[in-house]
């Protein structure tokens, strides 16, 4: 029957049965497979507010299919609320905390299967990492995106929809006098009209889409809006699906193979997904026991053109993507370059899952011979500034900024950079360097989201390039390069750049170079002392791997 029966049968385990019975479980329920339902419901993160309802429907599906659900919760921090203050240091480390939660609860109670429910940036990969560690039959359910706001006149994305990311961009426009305070207030109050993960293709929706692309969630489920009734029925069907996996003994590592991860990289490039997908898919590869490095990621990604013009790399939102057919349709469009024979959470192959789907809007989901951009959605750069790699998003970079050369403007932190930008210190043509914000340096590898959004709002998005050992949000656009490795705290070259150094970023060539002799420079510069940290950030700084490996904390003997 499974692992739980090992501690539920016979008089020697009566104490365990008694504990379950004290919560109201019956003898008959305890004879069935015990299925964990792990969710990150809270009322802080709007992407997770719907998870209470969805969890109930998942549990009903498990009961209907012959299992007994047992529910527990984990944390789910909101990147948007944590943006651009000390709180952002905790966001990426929370991924590992969530994985630890799931591993500990599953193993402590010897449960037989797992349904994970989450929606947002680091929660989704954190749950997948935890599920991979315990390797049980697993189905992922996301809460769904919010409906977008509507703004036809003066829409910076060129369409009729807006999302949360426009608000920070509008701060720059307000400071320039391009919009009034009244217009700014309207945007704040109308950009996010419902609960759900942000309506654009940020990291939240990217990772939900990629989970589906790997076969971990039901076909067509990733982009269903949070407020649609279909979201509730998907939750029920996911409860049924996990029982099918339990009965067939199909575990998560049977699904998350090298082919599945490569498929996800290709889908990410085609939809123009978040740069954070690099961190997360590398970490997922590590836990899945799959051999994948950042440069293979970049090579695969740049081989696939950008096919879906979603905000911030186009005018459409997740609602448009859902109505066009979502992940099954983009995988059908990419079928000639994907490996679709692997098993999925339906118990069938991906090829079977997408066999009958049809593209309902070819303006939203393009074909391989009619791309939005011929270049890939994600690029991995290398050069004397980033010998171990750096990450950017060609699909979100204006054509005129694909090659950028200019003098360095150095900032030692995101906070310092924001102060300088708001004081109009940054001039067109400069390369803004923000360092000491890597996984160890931050610590926690904070997003430089607000920096880039304010610059775009000031109409400097294509006139200034930002490079950093920190990272960016999936909603960022403009000219930017993140994940520069080694980071400053690891004695990376970025630590030795000076104001005025000429830096060249060439996206299509895949290079980021400075006209600097770094070996000589190391003898000339005294590096900034790292800021002491405590609590979980101390443990994170001490143990985290470099961003070029996925910024994970090792969980295996080397």
């Amino acid at each position: 029957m499974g692992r739980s029966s090992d501690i539920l049968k016979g008089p020697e385990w009566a104490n365990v049965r008694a504990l379950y019975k004290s919560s109201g479980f019956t003898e008959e329920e305890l004879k069935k497979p015990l299925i964990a339902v792990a969710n990150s419901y809270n009322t802080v993160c709007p992407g997770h507010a719907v998870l209470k309802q969805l969890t109930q429907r998942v549990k009903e599906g498990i009961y209907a299919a012959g299992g007994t659900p047992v529910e527990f919760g984990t944390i789910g921090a909101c990147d948007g609320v944590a943006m651009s203050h000390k709180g952002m240091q905790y966001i990426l480390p929370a991924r590992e905390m969530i994985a630890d939660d799931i591993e500990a609860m599953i193993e402590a109670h010897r449960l037989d299967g797992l349904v994970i429910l989450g929606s947002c940036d680091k929660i989704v990969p954190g749950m997948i990492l935890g599920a991979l560690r315990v390797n049980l039959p697993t189905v992922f359910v996301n809460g769904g995106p919010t409906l977008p706001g509507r703004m036809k006149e003066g829409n910076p994305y060129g369409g009729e929809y807006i999302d949360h990311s426009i608000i920070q961009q509008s701060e720059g426009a307000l400071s320039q006098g391009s919009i009034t305070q009244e217009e700014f207030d309207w945007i704040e109050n109308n950009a996010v009209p419902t609960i759900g993960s942000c309506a654009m293709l940020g990291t939240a929706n990217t990772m939900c889409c990629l989970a589906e692309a790997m076969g971990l969630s039901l076909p067509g489920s990733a982009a269903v809006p949070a407020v649609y009734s279909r979201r509730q029925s998907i939750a029920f069907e996911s409860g049924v699906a996990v029982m099918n996996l339990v009965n067939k003994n199909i575990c998560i590592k049977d699904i998350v193979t090298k082919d599945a991860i490569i498929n996800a990289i290709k889908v990410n490039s085609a939809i123009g997904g978040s740069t954070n997908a690099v961190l997360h898919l590398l970490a997922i590869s590590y836990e899945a026991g799959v051999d994948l490095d950042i440069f293979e990621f970049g090579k695969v990604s740049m081989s696939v053109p950008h096919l879906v013009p979603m905000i911030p790399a186009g005018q459409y939102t997740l609602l448009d993507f859902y109505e066009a057919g979502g992940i099954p349709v983009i995988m059908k469009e990419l079928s000639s370059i994907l490996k679709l024979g692997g098993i999925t959470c339906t118990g069938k192959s991906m090829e079977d899952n997408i066999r009958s789907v049809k593209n309902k809007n070819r303006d939203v989901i393009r074909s391989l011979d009619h791309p939005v951009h011929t270049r890939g959605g994600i690029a991995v750069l290398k050069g004397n500034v980033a010998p171990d790699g750096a990450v950017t998003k060609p699909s979100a970079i204006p054509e005129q900024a694909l090659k950028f050369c200019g003098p360095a403007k150095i900032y030692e932190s995101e906070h310092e950079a924001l102060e300088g930008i708001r004081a109009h210190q940054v001039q067109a043509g400069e390369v803004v360097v923000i360092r000491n914000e890597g996984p160890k340096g931050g610590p926690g590898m904070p997003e430089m989201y607000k920096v880039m959004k304010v610059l775009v709002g000031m109409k400097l998005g294509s006139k200034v390039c930002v490079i950093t050992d920190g990272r960016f949000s999936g909603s960022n656009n403009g000219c930017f390069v993140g994940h520069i490795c080694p980071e400053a705290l690891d004695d990376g070259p970025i630590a030795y750049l000076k104001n005025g150094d000429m830096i060249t970023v060439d996206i299509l060539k895949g290079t980021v170079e400075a006209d600097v002799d770094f070996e000589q420079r190391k003898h000339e510069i005294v590096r900034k002392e790292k800021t002491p940290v405590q609590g979980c950030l101390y443990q994170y700084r001490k143990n985290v791997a470099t961003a070029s490996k996925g910024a994970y904390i090792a969980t295996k003997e080397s």
Side-chain angles (χ1 to χ4, degrees), residues 22-255:
S22 72
S23 295
F25 287 96
T26 67
E27 194 81 38
E28 286 304 308
E29 286 176 301
L30 297 180
K31 291 177 182 177
K32 299 175 181 179
L34 298 187
I35 309 301
V37 182
N39 79 83
S40 48
Y41 164 77
N42 63 68
T43 57
V44 177
C45 182
H48 290 199
V50 71
L51 296 184
K52 182 184 284 187
Q53 293 172 284
L54 296 185
T55 297
Q56 182 59 35
R57 291 295 284 152
V58 168
K59 290 160 67 176
E60 290 166 3
I62 292 169
Y63 270 123
T68 297
V70 289
E71 178 187 348
F72 65 87
T74 185
I75 60 171
C78 179
D79 287 47
V81 175
M83 199 67 67
S84 298
H85 56 78
K86 183 177 173 60
M88 182 48 73
Q89 292 181 307
Y90 290 85
I91 293 295
L92 186 56
R95 186 186 71 179
E96 269 43 48
M97 298 176 202
I98 292 165
D100 290 346
D101 279 358
I102 289 174
E103 178 189 1
M105 285 295 287
I106 295 293
E107 297 293 30
H109 303 103
R110 308 304 294 159
L111 302 174
D112 302 308
L114 174 61
V115 180
I116 44 180
L117 295 96
S119 268
C120 293
D121 297 31
K122 314 307 169 290
I123 296 92
V124 174
M127 289 183 154
I128 294 171
L129 293 176
L132 284 165
R133 292 183 195 173
V134 299
N135 194 28
L136 294 178
T138 301
V139 178
F140 167 66
V141 180
N142 67 302
T146 177
L147 293 178
R150 281 183 182 269
M151 188 177 89
K152 292 186 178 181
E153 188 176 336
N155 188 316
Y157 303 119
E160 62 177 287
Y161 290 134
I162 56 174
D163 76 294
H164 175 263
S165 68
I166 194 178
I167 298 170
Q168 210 63 66
Q169 189 168 319
S170 298
E171 181 200 333
L174 180 66
S175 72
Q176 294 287 89
S178 303
I179 61 172
T180 65
Q181 183 66 50
E182 184 180 7
E183 289 170 322
F184 181 82
D185 292 343
W186 184 91
I187 290 169
E188 176 184 336
N189 293 326
N190 291 275
V192 193
T194 73
I195 59 169
S197 50
C198 300
M200 81 296 190
L201 193 61
T203 308
N205 290 316
T206 293
M207 292 312 301
C208 295
C209 286
L210 300 190
E212 183 183 327
M214 287 188 285
L216 287 175
S217 51
L218 295 184
S221 63
V224 178
V227 295
Y228 278 21
S229 59
R230 178 67 184 128
R231 177 63 50 200
Q232 302 294 322
S233 58
I234 285 167
F236 181 91
E237 291 164 5
S238 297
V240 173
V242 77
M243 290 309 301
N244 180 46
L245 296 180
V246 168
N247 294 332
K248 293 181 177 180
N249 195 30
I250 297 171
C251 297
I252 187 171
K253 286 187 179 179
D254 299 319
I255 296 171

Side-chain angles (χ1 to χ4, degrees), residues 439-455:
K440 295 179 182 177
M445 204 180 183
E447 288 182 352
M448 304 299 107
Y449 163 87
K450 191 172 283 193
V451 165
M452 206 63 235
K453 283 295 178 185
V454 173
L455 286 169

Side-chain angles (χ1 to χ4, degrees), residues 531-555:
T531 304
V533 291
Q534 58 186 1
C536 63
L537 294 181
Y538 167 77
Q539 293 295 340
Y540 190 79
R541 173 179 278 174
K542 182 179 177 182
N543 294 298
V544 69
T546 176
S548 63
K549 292 185 177 180
Y552 58 74
I553 292 176
T555 58

